[in-house]
């Protein structure tokens, strides 16, 4: 809604302020319930915590509705956060969940702090003693919600549960980011070796070699990105958004190829080739370390597989270039 069409909070009547509070509590309760539903399969302890938070917000909504009914009757006007100027709106849950469990909990803290400020402002403007008391009580309860969340965490997020959730989050990160990114980095680093060094030793022209490397890197990145995105929609495997995986794979593929193509911007062929070979060695060892760190592959086993494979492709490029 355009800002000019919104009303100022100071212009709202007490009836409208209560309606706004009811709508806000209902929205927050639904947000917590949505968090719980989205986290239930992978993070059951956190889901239970957000179920409890949703129940708290629904209790606030019930108390506000009872107060509204006693003062203004049965019809509650539709007044929402987005209708009021300067009122902070809630971020969609899909913009929060990918940030991880800890970020979701931080967002909860922000939500409760905003709610407390709203109730304090509303209580200051209220002339009815009962309304002022309820709004003040709710402001105080929102202040304690962070402590409530901590108590819920102590109850539901045991050390075993936290460890389990961290492991589940790590696995999701591996499935959604590391695996497609690593596959792209391996493809970009290895598959572009042959055309790049074949062009280098066939032409001894650094600029032409760079263009071949650039084309190979971008082409491989586009190919790998689309292949990853179209291979699995993530609905059954839990590997997350196909386009996020495709983007990670495509970017890392391009990066892997550009690493040893960029040195050929140096006009001197010998220097450029020496630097490119050093970068290739660094890339192959980096891939080996990533596989060791994130894929639970023994380091020397990963190094043998990657380095030997890369060396064979590298040798093929040199032999073809010198043919």
């Amino acid at each position: 809604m355009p800002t000019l069409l919104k009303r100022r909070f100071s212009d709202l009547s007490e009836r409208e302020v209560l309606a706004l509070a009811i709508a806000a509590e209902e929205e927050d309760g639904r947000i917590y319930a949505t968090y719980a539903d989205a986290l239930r399969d992978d993070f059951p302890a956190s889901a239970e915590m957000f179920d409890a938070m949703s129940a708290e917000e629904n209790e606030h909504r019930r108390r506000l509705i009872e107060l509204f009914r006693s003062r203004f009757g049965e019809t509650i006007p539709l007044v929402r956060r987005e209708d009021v100027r300067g009122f902070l709106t809630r971020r969609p849950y899909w913009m929060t969940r990918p940030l991880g469990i800890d970020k979701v909990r931080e967002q909860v803290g922000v939500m409760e702090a905003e709610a407390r400020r709203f109730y304090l402002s509303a209580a200051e403007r209220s002339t009815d003693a009962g309304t002022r008391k309820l709004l003040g009580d709710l402001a105080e309860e929102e202040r304690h919600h962070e402590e409530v969340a901590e108590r819920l965490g102590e109850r539901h997020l045991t050390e075993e549960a936290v460890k389990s959730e961290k492991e589940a989050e790590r696995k999701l990160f591996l499935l959604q980011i590391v695996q497609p990114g690593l596959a792209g980095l391996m493809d970009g680093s290895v598959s572009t070796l042959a055309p790049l060094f074949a062009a280098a030793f066939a032409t001894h022209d650094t600029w032409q070699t760079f263009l071949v490397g650039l084309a190979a890197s971008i082409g491989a990145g586009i190919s790998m990105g689309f292949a990853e995105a179209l291979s699995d929609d993530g609905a059954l495997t839990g590997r997350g958004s196909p386009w996020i995986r495709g983007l990670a794979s495509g970017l890392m593929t391009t990066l892997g190829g550009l690493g040893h193509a960029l040195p050929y911007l140096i006009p001197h062929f010998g220097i450029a080739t020496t630097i490119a070979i050093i970068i290739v060695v660094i890339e192959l060892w980096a891939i080996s370390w990533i596989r060791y760190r994130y894929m639970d592959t023994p380091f020397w086993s990963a190094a043998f597989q990657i380095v030997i494979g890369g060396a064979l492709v590298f040798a093929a490029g040199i032999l073809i270039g010198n043919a």
Side-chain angles (χ1 to χ4, degrees), residues 215-233:
S217 300
I218 294 176
I222 294 173
S223 176
M224 280 291 291
F226 274 98
E228 177 63 38
L230 298 175
S231 66
D232 176 17
D233 64 5

Side-chain angles (χ1 to χ4, degrees), residues 200-213:
F201 284 91
T203 66
H204 283 76
D205 185 321
T206 57
W207 177 246
Q208 295 300 321
T209 300
F210 170 73
L211 292 179
V212 170

